[in-house]
Amino acid sequence: QQKVQQSPESLIVPEGGMASLNCTSSDRNVDYFWWYRQHSGKSPKMLMSIFSNGEKEEGRFTVHLNKASLHTSLHIRDSQPSDSALYLCAASRGSALGRLHFGAGTQLIVIP
Amino acid sequence: EAAVTQSPRNKVAVTGGKVTLSCNQTNNHNNMYWYRQDTGHGLRLIHYSYGAGSTEKGDIPDGYKASRPSQENFSLILELATPSQTSVYFCASGGGGNAEQFFGPGTRLTVL
C-alpha cells in the first residue's frame, strides 16, 4: 500500500470552476508536502510546497496543510483548460537525502 | 532554470538484453534520483545518489543497478531486461533536504 494516498483518482470540472484535490500520508515522520503538475507527455514540475499548518496561496492555487492529520489539499479556482493535467502529491521527511514518496495522482480535466 | 537531460528518449529492448539509461544535470546538485512511472502508481523511486560514487536503493530496486561516476551523470542499468520493466523512466536532481526536485524529460522503455 502506498504511503501517500490521493483522491479523487480523476476529476472533471467546468472552465471557471473550482477543483479540489486531496492527499494524505500514512507516514507520521513526514514534515513536508509537495504538489507537482504533469501535463500529458511531459515531466512533472513542482507547483507548490508546504510545511507549516495553514494555507499558502499563489495566484489561483491554494494549498492547505493539517499536520496533525497529515492531510494536504490543493484548490484551483477559476480552472482553465490548461490546468488539465495529472497532479501528483509527494511527502518528504526533510532528511539530507531528500527522498520523496509520491501518490498515484489525480487526473484533472477542465472542460471548456 | 535547472537542466536535466536524459538519453535515449525512447528505447525498444529485447527480453534478456542489457539496457542503460543515462541522465545528466547541469545544476550542480548533490542528489540525483531514478523513478519509474506506471499508470495507477505515480512515481516510484528505484535508486538514488547523494554524490559522485554513491548509490542507494529506493523502494523498487530489484532488477536495476545504478552508477554515479560524476556529479553530473547518473545511469540506470537493466542487466537482464524483462517485459515488466516496460515503463517511463524519469531522472531528477535536487539539492537534498526539502529542496525541490527537477525532472528530466523521461525515457520511454519498451521491453519485448
Side-chain angles (χ1 to χ4, degrees):
Chain A
Q1 185 181 1
Q2 286 186 303
K3 295 181 179 179
V4 177
Q5 298 290 331
Q6 290 187 246
S7 63
E9 289 185 14
S10 61
L11 180 64
I12 300 174
V13 300
E15 182 175 358
M18 172 75 84
S20 295
L21 292 67
N22 298 292
C23 173
T24 303
S25 172
S26 60
D27 182 351
R28 300 216 62 84
N29 293 312
V30 301
D31 58 4
Y32 222 93
F33 287 86
W34 308 80
W35 286 95
Y36 280 75
R37 181 167 68 178
Q38 185 179 22
H39 286 106
S40 181
K42 303 295 185 181
S43 59
K45 286 185 169 52
M46 200 272 286
L47 190 60
M48 294 182 72
S49 63
I50 189 166
F51 64 93
S52 298
N53 265 328
E55 74 172 43
K56 182 178 176 181
E57 181 177 335
E58 292 182 5
R60 297 184 293 109
F61 300 86
T62 301
V63 174
H64 292 267
L65 175 62
N66 181 325
K67 295 190 80 171
S69 61
L70 297 177
H71 178 262
T72 180
S73 57
L74 173 67
H75 305 272
I76 308 172
R77 61 176 173 82
D78 189 24
S79 296
Q80 301 297 308
S82 58
D83 294 327
S84 297
L86 180 67
Y87 288 79
L88 295 161
C89 174
S92 62
R93 294 181 178 183
S95 74
L97 297 174
R99 288 187 60 169
L100 294 179
H101 296 278
F102 283 88
T106 292
Q107 185 69 52
L108 174 65
I109 300 171
V110 181
I111 298 176
Chain B
E1 185 172 313
V4 181
T5 57
Q6 295 182 230
S7 64
R9 295 293 312 278
N10 292 281
K11 173 74 176 179
V12 179
V14 296
T15 297
K18 182 177 181 177
V19 177
T20 300
L21 306 183
S22 300
C23 178
N24 178 274
Q25 56 107 355
T26 59
N27 315 314
N28 198 32
H29 285 154
N30 288 330
N31 295 3
M32 296 186 74
Y33 312 85
W34 275 107
Y35 298 90
R36 63 177 284 177
Q37 185 173 35
D38 305 284
T39 303
H41 289 281
L43 291 163
R44 291 182 290 175
L45 183 64
I46 305 170
H47 283 288
Y48 61 102
S49 167
Y50 50 83
S54 83
T55 61
E56 299 290 335
K57 293 181 179 179
D59 297 320
I60 53 165
D62 293 346
Y64 303 93
K65 292 183 180 179
S67 174
R68 182 88 181 269
S70 65
Q71 178 82 340
E72 297 78 19
N73 296 295
F74 190 36
S75 298
L76 185 68
I77 304 150
L78 291 66
E79 295 277 5
L80 295 169
T82 68
S84 64
Q85 294 175 313
T86 292
S87 187
V88 179
Y89 291 85
F90 286 100
C91 175
S93 75
N98 285 321
E100 177 183 352
Q101 288 187 19
F102 295 87
F103 285 80
T107 294
R108 183 172 296 275
L109 173 66
T110 302
V111 183
L112 302 176

